[in-house]
Amino acid sequence: KSKWAARLQKIATKAGAAAKINGPARDGLSAKEDEAIKAIVLKSGAFRTMRQSVRAWEKFDQWATEVGVGIYPPTDAVVVKYALHLESSGCGPSVIPAFFYSLGWVCRRLAMDAPGRMSPEVKGVIDKVYTERGKELKEAAPMPFEIVAALERFVVECFDKESEALLGWAAYLLSS
């Protein structure tokens, strides 16, 4: 977690005054106590959530640098631009919602203003991605019922325990 907390600290440093966590010591706390509280905040949270959110923000920051857009604090307009960038890059249907969650997570950790609800424009981009990327699944030929029934019988007959049968069926589904 320390590695990700350090990367989150770099984001806070880059955010400057936009990240209120960088502000003066809270009332009643010494500078040392305030730094200790800040370290706790930066290290708090589930490891995978922290990793995913920090990585998503770093990609967002890299994109913003490349296109010359300010993201401290992020605005609705910048988030829409980034969503359009992700969509044009061929992202999957879960990428934009995951980014929006990560954006909120980082902003909450750094006490930085962030877009509140997902804007209608971002929702529109997400819907477009769902429609375009889901086309292959919607148009795929369904597996014939007879084959599914035969596979179910095979799995039930070949395995002694119900858990083994379930595992065998899951393995088949994952391999196809």
Side-chain angles (χ1 to χ4, degrees), residues 93-169:
S94 65
V95 172
I96 298 171
F99 162 71
F100 197 80
Y101 175 82
S102 295
L103 172 86
W105 188 92
V106 169
C107 288
R108 282 189 305 277
R109 286 291 180 277
L110 303 182
M112 185 165 41
D113 293 333
R117 295 178 175 240
M118 194 179 293
S119 70
E121 295 86 358
V122 172
K123 287 181 182 178
V125 174
I126 291 170
D127 289 345
K128 182 180 178 194
V129 170
Y130 281 155
T131 302
E132 290 175 359
R133 307 306 187 270
K135 194 174 186 180
E136 182 180 308
L137 286 175
K138 290 177 188 172
E139 295 175 357
M143 186 177 282
F145 178 75
E146 294 80 16
I147 293 177
V148 173
L151 287 169
E152 287 177 347
R153 280 192 303 275
F154 169 76
V155 168
V156 170
E157 292 171 5
C158 290
F159 297 99
D160 296 332
K161 298 178 184 169
E162 189 176 306
S163 60
E164 290 177 348
L166 182 61
L167 184 63
W169 183 240

Side-chain angles (χ1 to χ4, degrees), residues 45-61:
F47 169 75
R48 288 190 174 123
T49 303
M50 179 184 278
R51 180 181 63 190
Q52 184 258 336
S53 297
V54 169
R55 282 181 176 164
W57 185 277
E58 289 171 343
K59 289 177 184 177
F60 178 47
D61 192 3

Side-chain angles (χ1 to χ4, degrees), residues 18-97:
K20 294 174 189 80
I21 198 168
N22 293 331
R26 281 106 187 124
D27 290 337
L29 295 178
S30 68
K32 186 177 179 180
E33 292 168 330
D34 193 62
E35 284 300 314
I37 293 294
K38 184 177 173 182
I40 290 170
V41 169
L42 293 174
K43 286 183 181 178
S44 67
F47 169 75
R48 288 190 174 123
T49 303
M50 179 184 278
R51 180 181 63 190
Q52 184 258 336
S53 297
V54 169
R55 282 181 176 164
W57 185 277
E58 289 171 343
K59 289 177 184 177
F60 178 47
D61 192 3
Q62 181 181 6
W63 167 83
T65 302
E66 290 170 3
V67 298
V69 176
I71 61 169
Y72 296 104
T75 62
D76 283 329
V78 172
V79 172
V80 170
K81 283 183 180 188
Y82 188 60
L84 288 169
H85 162 72
L86 292 172
E87 183 270 329
S88 68
S89 300
C91 73
S94 65
V95 172
I96 298 171

